[in-house]
Structures are given as structure tokens and as C-alpha cells.
Amino acid sequence: MDTTDTFIQADIPVQPVEDPLLEESGIRLSVLRLDLLHPVISGNKWFKLKHNLAAARRQGKNTILSFGGPWSNHLHALSVAGKNLGFKTIGVVRGTLPEPLTACLADARDAGMELVGVSRADYREKTTSAFITRLRERYGDFYLVPEGGANLEGVQGCAEIPALYQDNSRQENFDLVCMACGTGTMLTGLSLTSQVPLLGVQVLKGEGYLAREVESALNRYQLKASCPWHIVDDWHLGGYAKVSPELMVFLTEYEQRHGIILEPVYSGKLMYGLFTAIKKRDFFPQNSSILVIHGGGLQGLRGYI
Ligand SMILES: *Cc1c(COP(=O)(O)O)cnc(C)c1O
């Protein structure tokens, strides 16, 4: 669906980060600026959506339905991508719709997304056929994108990301590519085409949870990783979207120093974890060259102001 890429910035920079700590520890760090893809459809969300939108079009579906929380980067991106491509979109939101709406949901509604709040108990049933049947009775024939774009189409889109860091000569060879993981879909996709080993940072609680999710996705879709990958599960700072004062200070300082804005749920937690590990000096070998994927999603910052 190449025409859909026309509203996406094609040239994604890899930006070196200069910092005394990095110099002292002999580690090179660069950032793949996926946050610059599009003001709203930023980061990995476009990669997870693009083949879903193409499949919806092929199947002749005019409506796309998906799921997310009140600060969902995924619903936010879907609402605008859907609008740009002429789809009607429905966002099934976890919990009753907040009054007033979060800035995220207000944007989604402004982009034409129909918002439906469902109880947390119902939301947990969102992958069952009974719940989906009820949705179809109410909203007709829609194309369903799972929460977070976590399906085969999402994985296939993310398999296109390594081309941004390994297909040309202007870039150095990285030893490790690091990313924040929420569903693990991005890492699963990258693992199919990356020649560089991957490190995922699980941003939610659960020992070994996302490593198991990635394994089971690879099995389910009968795919094979092309590179080693690992997910650290204890850098989540207390759980999904939980922040500490230290994290917030780090993000402010990071922005002032490097001019790159990070949000605390994904990329900020990732960068904080990396800097903490680099400080400890026992995590990354000296002279490592690390690429960090900035996953975008800066709209979520508004939930912390
Ligand atoms: C959704 C998101 C992620 C996580 O991607 P998964 O494929 O769910 O693991 C990382 N960073 C940002 C900014 C995101 O919005």
C-alpha cells in the first residue's frame, strides 16, 4: 500500500547522542528517530498499522475497530491514519470514557474516531469471540486490529524497520539495537530482518512475560528470528506507565541536553534504563555501539503534565 506512505516522512535520521557519561564509558549511542515519521502517526505505530490498513482495503472493509486505554498511542495513531485514508474508525476504550476526555481521546474523536467506553471486565474479554460477536452486531462489518496492533500484519510492518539502520553505507555498524516493548510486536518484527542483536526493555511488570509473548508470536506465525534477541523484564520502574521522580528529572535533563523529547511510558523508560545500566559499567561491553529506537508516542506526555 505504497500510496499510504505518502504522508509519512521517508527519511528517518539516525542521530548520535553526545554525553560525558557515554564518552567516559566508551559507549557510542545513536537514536533512530521514528518519532519524526509523522506528528501523530509516530513511532512504531505506523509500521504496525500499515499492513492492517492495506488488508482492510483489500477485504473491502470501510470501518476499522481497535482497542486501547485512555492514553493509547495506538488509537491516537489509528484515528488519524484512518482519517487520512478514508476509513471510519471505532476505538473501544478500556473503562468508561473520561469526562472530560483525555487529550488523547479528544484528538481521536476530532479525527473522526467513534469512541466506545467498555467496563474493565468487558475489556478483558476483548479477544473472545462472544465479545467480538456483540461488537459486530452493534457496529457491523469492521476490520479488527488487536490492541497495540499486535498481529501478523503488525509484525510484518515492523520487519521493515531494520532497513532504516542497516541498508546503507552512511551508517555505522551497530552492536545492539534497543527498544521499549509493550506487546513485543515491534521486537518480533525486527527479529525477522535485523542482522544486529536486539535488546527489548519490557515496560510492564511480569517476569519473562514479553519474552514468552515474542516466542509464542514467532511460533504462532511460524516465523524465525534472524538474530539473537533478549528482553530485560526488571526496568519497568514499578509497572506500566508508573513513573518515579528520578525518571521525570532524567527526561527533563535529557531534553535540555540533547533536544530530543522522550515520554515516560516507553522511550523515556528505555533511555533511563540504558543510562542507568551504562553508569553501572557491567551491562554493556566497552566500545559497544548501541542504536536506540525512539518509538514516538509523544502525545502521551500530556498525561503527565
Ligand atoms: C507502542 C509503543 C511501543 C511498544 O511497541 P510494542 O510493539 O507494543 O512492543 C514502544 N514505544 C512507543 C513510543 C510506543 O508507542
Side-chain angles (χ1 to χ4, degrees), residues 34 43-56 58 66 74 143-162 179 183-193 217-218 220-221 223:
L34 289 189
N44 65 16
K45 295 300 179 274
W46 169 244
F47 290 94
K48 295 203 273 185
L49 283 172
K50 60 187 287 191
H51 293 294
N52 276 299
L53 298 171
R58 271 199 313 278
S66 196
H74 166 68
Y143 180 92
L144 185 145
V145 181
E147 183 180 42
N151 60 5
L152 177 60
E153 285 76 10
V155 167
Q156 286 166 335
C158 292
E160 297 171 16
I161 294 174
M179 75 210 76
T183 64
T185 308
M186 170 160 62
L187 187 137
T188 306
L190 266 82
S191 81
L192 305 179
T193 52
L218 289 170
R220 183 165 56 242
Y221 308 133
L223 300 169

Side-chain angles (χ1 to χ4, degrees), residues 129-142:
S129 53
F131 186 69
I132 293 166
T133 302
R134 269 200 285 147
L135 287 171
R136 289 209 190 279
E137 281 162 9
R138 191 157 151 205
Y139 296 105
D141 189 27
F142 52 75

